[in-house]
Amino acid sequence: MINSGILSGVDLRKSYGSLEVLKGVSLAVDPGEFVCLVGKSGCGKTTLLSLLSGLEKPTQGRVSLDGKEITSSSEDELALFRRENVGFIFQSFNLIPTLSAWENVALPLFPMKIPQEQQRQRAMEMLEKLELGHRTGHLPSALSGGEKQRVAIARALVNRPKIIFADEPTGNLDSATGEAIMSILRRLNDEDGVAILMVTHEADLAKQADRLVRMKDGEIVA
Amino acid sequence: MNLRYTVKELYYQRRRAMVAAFGLSIGIALLIILNALSIAYRQAAQIPLKEIGADITVQRAGDVPQELSGAVFPCSAVTLKKDELEKVGSLPGIKGMGRALLLWVFDPERAWVVLGIERENSIGPAVLRYSVADGRFLEAEKSEALVEVAYARQFGIKLGDSLSISGREFPVVGLVDASRATKIAVANVYLPLKDAEALAVASKQLQSVSPYAAGDVNLVFIKADQDQIASLSPAMKKILGEKAAVATPDSFLKLLGSLFALSDKFTLAASLIAIVVAILIAFKTMAGNIAERAREIGVLKAVGWTNRNVVFQLIGEAVAQCLIAGILGLCLAIVVSFGLSFMNVSIPIPWEMSPTPHFLPGGGDQIFKTLRLPVTVPWSLAVFAVLLSVVIGGMTGGLLGRHIAKIKPSEVLRHD
Ligand SMILES: Nc1ncnc2c1ncn2[C@@H]1O[C@H](COP(=O)(O)OP(=O)(O)OP(=O)(O)O)[C@@H](O)[C@H]1O
Ligand SMILES: [Mg+2]
């Protein structure tokens, strides 16, 4: 069971001081699966995401990503692993304000030994794919919220990850734009087979996932 | 390090980058200017001796003659024996030597300062060859005289006149403008060294104060290895005794009395303070700038940048910023140095080095050599300053980068 999926976390616990945020969570995601994580504010969704993606280490429990046990990896090993296998989408976009759209997309490639022209080409392709071919040279400040999030999605895809972690990617967008972003994610999941683990508050969007995981007070309830 | 990222960051955050660079550039400019001034003073101090083709002059103080009649030595320049000078000449680092014999001659109707000079030597008063205002320079084997232009004018002496000095006749063959050439070893009348020697040998007054034989002199001009000048001075005193007066560029530097001239420790200390303050300012502003980018750093780490990647990127940015600061500082310093190069300095020439009897016109006056301070920024200083900025950038970037790179990438999941 542990290594069957693209991602699996087993009996994950996380405490901040005396505050136990995760109380033994197990979750597996299959390759190409689209999973939505829902639950009340403060129940530990973001914390779980950061453990599963290797941004943070659990107090207890194990995570394996694409067959690799990452709980015991060093910080740099985790960084290299994320670089190769994982994509991130954030609620607040987190684009670099001084870099243009395509440079933001290429950001994960910068430290790699790939010629710059090739980096640019890959970033451009991703932007084309997200229908942003006409805005590649713009700074984030010149883009709308939906465009920013599309750039962020292109960045999450540029390293051809097997799984994308998205923490409330529509949280800062109006419902129509959020709907559009959701359909992009659905399309990527369907066409490219990239697995997605997404946190959302919006029931309408959550319904569109392959599977819904509900959390309450640091535990999975359904 | 990603150069594109560095350039974009500096370009779009240019105001903030400039503020950080500005403090450092002022410090770098101060460092350069202080050192350029110090070098300029040092060069200025060499000029009085350089004019006479020397690096060092040597003379020896003695007693005041009992009676001022006939040829006597000024009390600041008595006999330097031939064999003593041979010893001096063989000291390591000495490249050449010029000799002269300075006499005060008291004749019944006139008193004059007479300098016996070598005819051909690039070191010493023979450089007057290039300052003949009228007539010609001394010719070999002839007993003839050159007269200082101002003195000739004052006493109505003309070319072709015959001067009677202690009973010997010398035709005036040239007028020299010594004031233009040098401030050291100036006299009223210049004779061939041989003739001056004869005057000295014949003078009882002179012999009674300081025994003298032909071949001895009382002024010596020395050309020496630059880096040996400091050590030569005590070595000469050992041969010539404590009463020997050895003048070097350093002794002129002390006479200049400027803070820069007085000690290179002052320059060093002031430069260090300027640089440390500049580093602190640069460090503080850059620390603020980097702290503001904590979230950005978190994003880099989340998308797979290692700590090393982050640190190198930040070092690159800091180095670029400080390089700009260094170049800015250098430009500023060049402009200021150019301005300072219009400044005049007056180097006092000690009376001993150009002794005029105080009862002669102008005899008690302090003589000054006035020149424009040669302030320039030497290449080595410019390169050093820019390199220093780069090093400061590297260290600041490294220090701040390592600190900020510790940020946990999970922080970026939290939104403000
Ligand atoms: N670094 C931390 N230090 C201390 N407490 C933390 C830390 N990170 C999270 N917490 C706490 O853990 C609990 C869960 O936080 P988490 O961000 O995982 O919730 P969430 O389900 O994502 O909430 P939301 O829907 O509001 O984003 C919260 O009570 C939060 O205050
Ligand atoms: Mg959250």
Side-chain angles (χ1 to χ4, degrees):
Chain A
M1 163 78 196
I2 292 173
N3 284 333
S4 69
I6 176 78
L7 168 69
S8 88
V10 179
D11 193 28
L12 293 172
R13 289 168 196 275
K14 182 72 182 177
S15 303
Y16 295 108
S18 60
L19 178 72
E20 195 177 24
V21 178
L22 293 181
K23 304 166 181 168
V25 175
S26 295
L27 178 69
V29 176
D30 287 333
E33 195 181 13
F34 195 145
V35 179
C36 261
L37 194 57
V38 297
K40 275 217 199 85
S41 179
C43 70
K45 304 180 297 292
T46 297
T47 306
L48 179 59
L49 214 63
S50 66
L51 296 189
L52 291 172
S53 61
L55 289 180
E56 212 167 337
K57 293 213 174 155
T59 312
Q60 206 188 303
R62 281 170 304 147
V63 176
S64 84
L65 242 172
D66 196 27
K68 184 182 156 70
E69 161 75 48
I70 61 167
T71 343
S72 54
S73 304
S74 73
E75 206 185 323
D76 276 351
E77 281 172 336
L78 283 177
L80 293 173
F81 186 78
R82 288 195 299 272
R83 183 190 290 179
E84 300 291 338
N85 302 289
V86 175
F88 282 99
I89 305 170
F90 312 98
Q91 174 173 350
S92 43
F93 319 131
N94 282 334
L95 298 177
I96 308 298
T98 54
L99 295 181
S100 69
W102 80 258
E103 288 160 347
N104 262 291
V105 173
L107 195 65
L109 308 179
F110 280 177
M112 298 188 195
K113 293 202 170 11
I114 301 174
Q116 184 161 311
E117 186 45 39
Q118 212 173 315
Q119 295 187 3
R120 200 179 73 91
Q121 232 148 32
R122 268 172 75 173
M124 292 298 204
E125 273 168 35
M126 285 303 150
L127 285 169
E128 292 287 349
K129 191 175 175 127
L130 290 155
E131 286 154 20
L132 276 173
H134 58 300
R135 319 241 25 172
T136 56
H138 289 67
L139 288 185
S141 55
L143 300 175
S144 73
E147 286 171 332
K148 279 186 207 162
Q149 197 60 302
R150 271 144 71 197
V151 172
I153 293 171
R155 179 178 67 192
L157 287 169
V158 78
N159 57 345
R160 300 175 186 129
K162 301 186 176 82
I163 182 162
I164 287 177
F165 293 91
D167 195 356
E168 300 185 43
T170 61
N172 276 9
L173 304 171
D174 61 64
S175 59
T177 315
E179 196 61 59
I181 292 294
M182 185 63 190
S183 63
I184 290 171
L185 291 177
R186 266 264 47 123
R187 196 185 86 213
L188 292 170
N189 175 251
D190 290 339
E191 291 175 4
D192 300 357
V194 58
I196 296 176
L197 179 56
M198 174 173 131
V199 173
T200 184
H201 273 123
E202 284 155 84
D204 288 352
L205 302 183
K207 275 193 306 213
Q208 302 178 34
D210 298 337
R211 179 152 63 99
L212 200 65
V213 175
R214 206 174 291 278
M215 278 184 78
K216 196 181 174 194
D217 294 337
E219 285 172 309
I220 287 179
V221 290
Chain B
M1 190 196 88
N2 187 285
L3 192 62
R4 173 179 287 273
Y5 189 5
T6 307
V7 170
K8 289 279 177 108
E9 188 62 35
L10 290 180
Y11 178 71
Y12 286 110
Q13 301 288 4
R14 54 190 172 272
R15 235 176 44 136
R16 142 171 129 173
M18 273 301 152
V19 169
F22 188 67
L24 185 59
S25 69
I26 295 289
I28 292 287
L30 268 176
L31 170 90
I32 297 174
I33 294 165
L34 284 171
N35 284 280
L37 267 177
S38 168
I39 293 168
Y41 272 104
R42 242 150 269 269
Q43 280 177 352
Q46 290 181 348
I47 289 175
L49 289 171
K50 272 236 170 80
E51 282 179 339
I52 201 147
D55 300 308
I56 304 174
T57 66
V58 184
Q59 58 200 78
R60 181 159 56 198
D63 293 330
V64 183
Q66 275 169 339
E67 196 186 314
L68 295 179
S69 72
V72 298
F73 284 143
C75 62
S76 61
V78 301
T79 313
L80 299 167
K81 293 261 171 231
K82 197 175 174 185
D83 57 324
E84 290 174 321
L85 296 181
E86 270 160 16
K87 275 188 214 157
V88 168
S90 63
L91 286 173
I94 291 196
K95 296 199 287 200
M97 200 184 259
R99 295 152 204 257
L101 193 59
L102 184 71
L103 301 171
W104 289 351
V105 180
F106 297 93
D107 286 337
E109 68 284 8
R110 190 177 289 170
W112 28 36
V113 181
V114 174
L115 187 65
I117 63 176
E118 294 168 310
R119 234 179 48 81
E120 286 188 51
N121 194 337
S122 61
I123 311 165
V127 298
L128 286 174
R129 167 184 303 278
Y130 306 106
S131 305
V132 177
D134 203 359
R136 59 167 174 80
F137 193 66
L138 302 174
E139 281 178 357
E141 309 299 331
K142 288 185 181 165
S143 288
E144 47 195 22
L146 302 172
V147 180
E148 216 286 316
V149 168
Y151 188 82
R153 195 179 309 125
Q154 190 180 355
F155 292 97
I157 299 168
K158 287 185 285 300
L159 284 183
D161 286 2
S162 184
L163 302 181
S164 171
I165 302 175
S166 269
R168 286 159 208 256
E169 295 295 322
F170 298 94
V172 176
V173 296
L175 302 180
V176 288
D177 188 354
S179 66
R180 232 180 29 202
T182 162
K183 297 280 184 191
I184 293 174
V186 289
N188 306 136
V189 179
Y190 301 88
L191 301 179
L193 188 54
K194 264 216 162 58
D195 293 286
E197 284 178 350
L199 289 177
V201 169
S203 167
K204 282 202 185 69
Q205 261 306 324
L206 185 147
Q207 294 288 3
S208 73
V209 172
S210 178
Y212 175 88
D216 299 344
V217 290
N218 65 349
L219 292 180
V220 172
F221 305 86
I222 288 168
K223 191 106 192 108
D225 268 344
Q226 289 304 312
D227 40 355
Q228 300 231 38
I229 291 177
S231 63
L232 276 171
S233 179
M236 288 181 199
K237 283 207 165 158
K238 214 163 174 188
I239 296 171
L240 300 172
E242 271 313 306
K243 287 201 143 182
V246 179
T248 60
D250 266 355
S251 55
F252 278 102
L253 200 56
K254 293 206 179 79
L255 290 172
L256 269 168
S258 143
L259 272 177
F260 301 99
L262 278 178
S263 99
D264 26 352
K265 286 202 191 79
F266 167 79
T267 313
L268 190 68
S271 322
L272 268 179
I273 292 170
I275 266 316
V276 167
V277 170
I279 290 175
L280 289 180
I281 294 173
F283 191 86
K284 196 151 166 33
T285 44
M286 289 210 272
N289 293 350
I290 288 185
E292 275 176 39
R293 290 167 67 198
R295 191 180 187 82
E296 181 172 332
I297 306 299
V299 174
L300 298 181
K301 293 187 72 174
V303 302
W305 287 44
T306 61
N307 282 357
R308 255 173 79 91
N309 295 151
V310 170
V311 171
F312 273 90
Q313 185 66 32
L314 292 177
I315 287 179
E317 280 176 26
V319 164
Q321 247 174 71
C322 291
L323 179 65
I324 293 170
I327 292 170
L328 215 70
L330 177 59
C331 294
L332 194 66
I334 288 173
V335 171
V336 172
S337 297
F338 180 72
L340 287 175
S341 72
F342 288 93
M343 205 161 79
N344 277 328
V345 282
S346 291
I347 306 172
I349 306 294
W351 177 83
E352 307 82 69
M353 298 186 74
S354 191
T356 313
H358 60 271
F359 44 80
L360 284 187
D365 294 354
Q366 174 77 63
I367 305 170
F368 286 98
K369 172 73 193 174
T370 301
L371 51 109
R372 257 172 65 174
L373 198 58
V375 193
T376 53
V377 178
W379 276 109
S380 54
L381 183 57
V383 170
F384 170 78
V386 173
L387 280 183
L388 180 69
S389 322
V390 168
V391 170
I392 290 172
M395 304 218 312
T396 310
L399 226 63
L400 293 173
R402 270 170 51 158
H403 180 72
I404 196 88
K406 288 199 188 109
I407 189 179
K408 283 210 288 185
S410 58
E411 291 302 316
V412 293
L413 289 174
R414 325 238 160 247
H415 31 84
D416 348 73

